[in-house]
Amino acid sequence: MNLETLDKQYVLQTYARNYTNFVKGVSSTLFDEQGREYIDFASGIGVNSVGHGHPILVEAIANQAKKIIHISNLQVIEPQVKLAEQICKLSNYDGAIFFANSGAEANEGAIKIARKYGETKFDKKRYKVITLEHSFHGRTITTVKATGQESFHTPHFSPYPDGFSYVNEIESIYGQVDDETVAVLIELVQGEGGIEPFEKEQVQALAKFLKEKNILLIVDEVQTGVFRTGKMLASNHYEIEPDIVTLAKGLGGGVPIGAVMTKHKDILTFGDHGSTFGGNYLSSSAGLAVLDVLSILHDSGVLAKTLSYFEHKVKVIAHNYNHLFEKEVGLGLMRGLRAKDSNIVSSVLENSMNEGLIILKAGRNTVRFLPSLTITTDEIDEGFRRFEKAIASI
Ligand SMILES: *Cc1c(COP(=O)(O)O)cnc(C)c1O
């Protein structure tokens, strides 16, 4: 039986899938079973941060697999400890980390920290978390409720946990705060919501206000973190030090790992939280290799060059095809083109795939680019050649 038939028979159909069968990847180029090559401007939704088949990552995983893949979190795990240290150092953040396996799980951890903080640090218990419309925080029952998009809160999965409310912009958070508010959870650049960066002054003012009120600022850096925006954290760009930061997507280079980092090291204690797999030998070693590669790329200035080259290319497209796109949006290697309508987005995605270019879509009618941070200039050039071909006929 062919793959599509088997998929439809044995895999729950929760995704609108494309059935190209990829069998190999090198850097930002993927190959299907017919040997056809594709330029990858998606990196698995911002996951393959060092591209496909990066020798340092591959070797780290293979070497670790030969030694120990997994021992429970009841033992100390050397690569996990080192990874925690590296994340804090590269983020310039005086915190401690709990490791999970995904972005949603990292956010669950963040919400648990906030809830316990609200229960233990105030006379009257605080538990409410404010999030933004167009946000995305995950697919578990709690994180889907934290996600500020009404379409996600379908009655199919109700009842949802209480305590989440949504506002449509940062300025509206102030009016929403009450004496039960414990935290504000935001992305600095909304990813699924359409590659929407917030203004630095706005975010800094919010951070200052929340600090004065002892309300926690949780920044969901699941998509923006791990050098995606050019620095280890988007929070570094915004020059804020959130109470809690979550990471996942790019951290393991494709090996599942999530992290919740906080400067409130005393809130969670023995027995408060746990994960069977979180931060095991394999995923932590992958994370360490990824951070090795990316910190060198950052310190050498190569990452900054890639970023500005890619940004320039997107800007040129936005300018030359302004009958299709309203504007160019983004920060670092999180970039998007706001299309005039959703039909344009669908055609751009379909035509691009036919031309051998993998891209993504996002909310607010956005064509989204999340290339690997190690993408080469040649791959960028070839990708945009294909992109222009794809959009020429629209
Ligand atoms: C992808 C994403 C998540 C969810 O991550 P999963 O690993 O799919 O659970 C949460 N927040 C943001 C900002 C994301 O981009």
Side-chain angles (χ1 to χ4, degrees), residues 309-377:
Y309 191 63
F310 200 94
E311 180 181 355
H312 169 73
K313 288 275 186 181
V314 183
K315 289 208 156 117
V316 170
I317 300 261
H319 180 261
N320 292 347
Y321 295 84
N322 59 10
H323 58 291
L324 298 177
F325 305 113
E326 267 163 21
K327 59 174 176 175
E328 183 271 346
V329 284
L331 184 68
L333 276 178
M334 253 181 114
R335 303 231 73 97
L337 285 164
R338 274 299 148 68
K340 298 222 156 140
D341 62 58
S342 62
N343 292 331
I344 295 175
V345 178
S346 310
S347 309
V348 170
L349 258 80
E350 194 187 320
N351 294 2
S352 294
M353 195 69 187
N354 291 335
E355 292 296 336
L357 173 69
I358 303 168
I359 55 174
L360 299 161
K361 64 177 176 180
R364 294 182 168 106
N365 296 334
T366 309
V367 174
R368 175 168 53 154
F369 306 103
L370 294 174
S372 91
L373 309 179
T374 52
I375 192 168
T376 65
T377 309

Side-chain angles (χ1 to χ4, degrees), residues 65-276:
K66 283 180 208 156
K67 291 188 243 161
I68 302 176
I69 291 178
H70 179 92
I71 283 183
S72 87
N73 271 308
L74 301 175
Q75 265 81 37
V76 71
I77 297 168
E78 186 178 343
Q80 182 188 106
V81 177
K82 288 186 172 162
L83 179 60
E85 180 192 19
Q86 271 299 84
I87 293 172
C88 290
K89 284 193 169 157
L90 292 173
S91 307
N92 201 9
Y93 190 88
D94 178 17
I97 297 181
F98 175 88
F99 287 100
N101 311 284
S102 67
E105 255 190 276
N107 286 334
E108 288 272 345
I111 293 163
K112 280 179 82 170
I113 294 169
R115 286 272 174 100
K116 186 167 176 195
Y117 173 89
E119 214 262 327
T120 53
K121 299 279 177 185
F122 301 92
D123 295 336
K124 181 176 170 234
K125 180 183 169 77
R126 290 176 170 237
Y127 68 100
K128 290 182 185 165
V129 178
I130 302 170
T131 72
L132 290 173
E133 285 170 18
H134 297 286
S135 61
F136 182 78
H137 300 298
R139 295 288 208 149
T140 61
I141 294 270
T142 299
T143 57
V144 92
K145 190 69 196 311
T147 295
Q149 303 183 47
E150 229 10 88
S151 59
F152 277 81
H153 311 150
T154 86
H156 302 318
F157 312 119
S158 66
Y160 294 96
D162 286 339
F164 294 95
S165 64
Y166 321 101
V167 292
N168 62 1
E169 53 174 4
I170 289 198
E171 292 312 311
S172 308
I173 291 173
Y174 301 96
Q176 187 76 12
V177 167
D178 64 24
D179 66 354
E180 291 180 319
T181 304
V182 72
V184 169
L185 165 61
I186 58 168
E187 298 154 87
L188 296 174
V189 185
Q190 290 186 329
E192 308 303 311
I195 311 292
E196 179 83 357
F198 293 109
E199 276 172 30
K200 186 171 178 176
E201 294 72 31
Q202 248 190 342
V203 170
Q204 287 184 338
L206 175 70
K208 186 161 170 275
F209 168 82
L210 295 176
K211 200 182 178 76
E212 283 163 12
K213 299 255 181 239
N214 290 321
I215 296 171
L216 302 179
L217 175 60
I218 308 173
V219 176
D220 179 345
E221 295 231 26
V222 168
Q223 194 160 149
T224 55
V226 197
F227 295 101
R228 173 57 54 191
T229 66
K231 294 185 193 273
M232 176 63 187
L233 302 179
S235 296
N236 299 139
H237 273 291
Y238 283 78
E239 297 177 274
I240 54 165
E241 203 175 79
D243 295 282
I244 306 174
V245 176
T246 55
L247 300 171
K249 288 192 165 81
L251 184 57
V255 180
I257 187 165
V260 49
M261 169 160 80
T262 181
K263 52 185 178 183
H264 302 278
K265 303 182 192 183
D266 60 331
I267 303 292
L268 291 189
T269 55
F270 294 125
D272 277 339
H273 200 30
S275 165
T276 297

